[in-house]
Every structure is written in C-alpha cells, then in structure tokens.
Amino acid sequence: MSKLGQDLITITQRPDTVFVEGQGAWLTDEGGKRHLDLIQGWAVNSLGHSPSVITQALLAQSLRLLNPSPAYYNRPLLDLAQRLVAVSCFDRVFLASSGAEANEGAVKLARRWGSRMRGGAHEIVSFEQSFHGRTLAMMSASGKPGWGDIYPPMPGGFSKARLNDIASVERALTPASVAVMIELVQGEAGVVVADPGFVRELRALTRERGVLLIADEVQTGVGRCGTAFAYEQYNVEPDLMTLAKGLGGGVPLAALLCKEELNCFEPGDQGGTFCGNPLMAAVGLAVVNEVCRPDFLAEVQARAEQLSQGLQAIAREHGLVGERGLGLLRALVLPVDVAHDVVAAAQALEPVGLLLNAPRPHLIRLMPALNISAAEMDEGLALLRQALRNVLR
Ligand SMILES: *Cc1c(COP(=O)(O)O)cnc(C)c1O
C-alpha cells in the first residue's frame, strides 16, 4: 500500500481523505462519505461545487477558443473587463491567474506611477498580520509573523502599520511611500474587520499625502461580504483593487483594477502567458453576471445574517468568545486553542462530515458558497454544534 501523497513535494499536512466529487455545498470522498463544505476552496467557490453557470461557460468556451495568445484580444477578456468596470468604481482591468500575481501587478503599477508622478516614491505600507500571497515580494508585503525569514533575502520596500490604528499609518508613511495596501477584512489573520472610521481616516490621510490606496479584495471581493466589493460598505473608493479567489468561482483567475489616471504601464512592462486567456475569462464573466445581481446579493446578506445569528447562539450555549465577520466571511472565536480539534471532529462526524477551516488555533473560519440554501446553513450550524460538543465536553 502506498502512502497518500508520497509523490508530492511536502507542503502541508492534509487529512487522509481524497475528494472525488462536488455538487453545490457538498463534497464526496473516495469512500462515498458526504461532507457539507463550509470552506469552499478557501472562499473560492462562490457558487458552490461544479455549478452549471461555470461548467456551461467552460464547455462552451473550450469548444470555441482556448488560447489565441496574450498578444491578441479575445472576446471574453474584453467582456469581463467591461463588466468589472461597470460594477465597480474602476476604469481599467488587467487579468491574471492568482491573487499573489494580481497583487504583484498592483505594486508594480503603484511603483510605476511613483516613478513618474511622485519623484521615485516606491515604498508600500501594509499591515501587521496581513496576507497578500506567497511570491517573495508578497511575503514581504504580508504581515504574517515569521514570514520575514523563511527565504532570505526578501525583497525590500515594504513597511508595516497596525490595522485600525491611524497613528501607526502616519508613523509608517515617509516621503518614499507610494501606496498603502489593505485587506478590509483580514481573512488569514482570522477574519479581522477594519473599522469604518479607520478606513475613512486612511482614505483621507492617503489623499492628503499623495499616496495610493490599494484594496486587496482577493478574499472579500465578488459578493463574499454581501456587496459586490467590500469597499462599498466603507463608502470609500480605493485607487487600485485586486480580485482573485471568488472571481473565478473555482478556476484560476485574478484581476487588477485601477482608476484611469493610474493606467501608466508602458507596453511590455507587465504581462503573462495566461493573463486574459478566454477560458478563465469566460468563467469570470459568468460568475460576475450571477453574483453581482441585486437579488443574488440580497440572498447573500440573508444567509450572512442567518449564519451570524446561528454562530452567536452557539457561542452563548458553549460559553465561547463570540463571532465576527462581514457577509459570508465569518469566524467563531473559541476561548481555548482547540480549533484544530474541532476541524478534525467536524470532518469525522457520521454519517455526514462538516468541512471547516482553522486559520488560528482559537478560531474557526466559515466561508460557505454564496448560494448555500437556508436549510443547508441550518444543517451546517447543527453539525458545528455537534463537533463542538464532541471536543468541549
Ligand atoms: C488568498 C489571498 C491572496 C493570495 O491569492 P493566491 O491566489 O493564493 O495567490 C492574496 N490576498 C488575500 C487577501 C488572500 O486571501
């Protein structure tokens, strides 16, 4: 008997489960056991597993045109860009394949703008505990403890402030600063929501200093927080925004969006073999068309309210710390470091398991499909109760 994963380069520990099928809110493993999935590919599968909206877009586009080359326009690339411009406050779009790649593009564009308009300003201020991806530069941008010294030497030009502490941003800004990069909800840090007052002050401060504001909406964008983009709920307009995860609904797709005045790359400054390929762009267009409808977003808000209420009730029953989040990006805060045990207990439940994520030892993160039904949400909450009972008793 071979050991699971023996041919893979070891990157993380995974449970001994192989998933073979997904439908909506449910995943089925090789043994035939079903799991209610509240991870959904890390807030990626906005419409659940294998939704017809996506499978049909994939099929139709794959029969028509896979890859004309990034040197040419293709129709889905143009249509998705047009749609993203129509539903956001931005004017220009660059498509990429991952969140880290889109964020790298944002930093490059900000630095290009800085070299032209701000006398070579190039430093990026980001936040402690933040997560912006796993390329070397995005590891420098991220504020994850310990990430500064895994792969030395790290790219420079990034400094850190504290979320919800405007004085720390003022201290971090220097004449060389070109942008502040923020997650409006820090996902990997444990669903830490930026205060509305702080974000308003941050927007005013960056304007006053001639510094760009980059919103990393890789996790919060495309309906996840109950509006098309999280920045809408803060009544601010960033200068640049990045999207990935939910934009592709399960396929590798990302986007960098900017205001017209930042459209300052020279031909050849930026690109990529798969940037704007029609197969992924066709999926992104189908996802955005589905998610950005007002009636769809109203349902997301209703499910978010149901999840929040349910988590609050569970927190009261078990004497937990509480719950927090924005829309369908939420976390349950435990009084002790047993989140990994709860995740294991939830997956082990019989006859159906529950898939949860623990970004911190005392924290359970929930990121269901945006179109999860009310009944499935109730079932998820009941399974979570059971898993907590099994661990906390
Ligand atoms: C996941 C994530 C990224 C990185 O995206 P990848 O597609 O994994 O490169 C960047 N920023 C935030 C906020 C994320 O949640």
Side-chain angles (χ1 to χ4, degrees), residues 42 97-101 103 131-134 183 185 187-188 216-220 242 244-245 365:
W42 267 330
S97 307
S98 74
E101 192 186 8
N103 283 339
F131 181 77
H132 298 295
R134 291 179 170 275
E183 295 167 271
V185 182
E188 302 309 303
D216 176 347
E217 292 229 26
V218 167
Q219 192 160 145
T220 54
T242 54
K245 294 202 165 86
R365 181 170 47 168

Side-chain angles (χ1 to χ4, degrees), residues 21-330:
E21 212 182 301
Q23 271 306 314
W26 296 89
L27 269 179
T28 306
D29 69 26
E30 252 175 1
K33 181 178 169 185
R34 281 161 35 92
H35 302 258
L36 184 60
D37 185 5
L38 298 187
I39 299 180
Q40 289 290 355
W42 267 330
V44 164
N45 310 324
S46 8
L47 302 173
H49 292 283
S50 294
S52 62
V53 166
I54 290 184
T55 55
Q56 279 169 18
L58 272 174
L59 183 63
Q61 189 57 43
S62 67
L63 291 170
R64 203 177 166 118
L65 178 65
L66 279 180
N67 178 33
S69 138
Y72 303 115
Y73 292 125
N74 67 72
R75 192 40 64 189
L77 161 66
L78 298 171
D79 289 350
L80 175 56
Q82 185 185 49
R83 191 80 188 105
L84 285 173
V85 165
V87 296
S88 74
C89 67
F90 300 96
D91 306 303
R92 299 272 181 168
V93 178
F94 168 76
L95 295 184
S97 307
S98 74
E101 192 186 8
N103 283 339
E104 291 262 342
V107 168
K108 286 181 185 173
L109 193 52
R111 286 186 177 176
R112 201 80 177 87
W113 179 84
S115 75
R116 298 223 173 140
M117 311 298 289
R118 285 276 328 282
H122 59 277
E123 278 178 12
I124 310 286
V125 175
S126 55
F127 290 91
E128 289 173 12
Q129 310 293 332
S130 66
F131 181 77
H132 298 295
R134 291 179 170 275
T135 58
L136 286 170
M138 285 310 109
M139 288 183 77
S140 283
S142 296
K144 265 181 110 117
W147 266 27
D149 35 63
I150 307 181
Y151 306 115
M154 300 300 285
F158 297 91
S159 62
K160 298 292 177 302
R162 295 173 69 91
L163 193 73
N164 297 333
D165 177 353
I166 197 71
S168 76
V169 182
E170 280 182 41
R171 281 194 299 274
L173 287 172
T174 73
S177 301
V178 73
V180 175
M181 188 166 178
I182 186 172
E183 295 167 271
L184 294 167
V185 182
Q186 291 187 330
E188 302 309 303
V191 192
V192 181
V193 183
D195 295 338
F198 168 75
V199 174
R200 270 196 306 277
E201 285 174 336
L202 179 65
R203 182 64 279 195
L205 176 65
T206 48
R207 286 238 161 87
E208 182 191 308
R209 300 286 180 93
V211 165
L212 302 173
L213 184 62
I214 304 172
D216 176 347
E217 292 229 26
V218 167
Q219 192 160 145
T220 54
V222 197
R224 174 57 51 188
C225 294
T227 46
F229 308 107
Y231 73 77
E232 297 168 38
Q233 297 183 50
Y234 287 89
N235 281 313
V236 298
E237 292 193 357
D239 302 294
L240 299 116
M241 173 172 76
T242 54
L243 303 172
K245 294 202 165 86
L247 175 64
V251 305
L253 177 66
L256 164 63
L257 293 86
C258 73
K259 297 281 197 182
E260 183 62 36
E261 56 271 26
L262 288 159
N263 177 33
C264 64
F265 282 137
E266 289 291 334
D269 279 359
Q270 173 68 329
T273 304
F274 293 115
C275 293
N277 77 84
L279 189 64
M280 298 312 151
V283 173
L285 182 63
V287 169
V288 172
N289 281 339
E290 182 75 4
V291 168
C292 294
R293 291 194 336 252
D295 56 328
F296 186 97
L297 290 170
E299 274 302 300
V300 174
Q301 286 163 21
R303 292 291 78 69
E305 184 58 28
Q306 181 188 356
L307 178 57
S308 172
Q309 296 289 338
L311 292 175
Q312 286 172 41
I314 288 175
R316 280 193 300 273
E317 280 161 40
H318 290 279
L320 310 180
V321 180
E323 71 93 36
R324 63 182 180 226
L326 203 60
L328 283 178
L329 180 56
R330 310 207 73 84

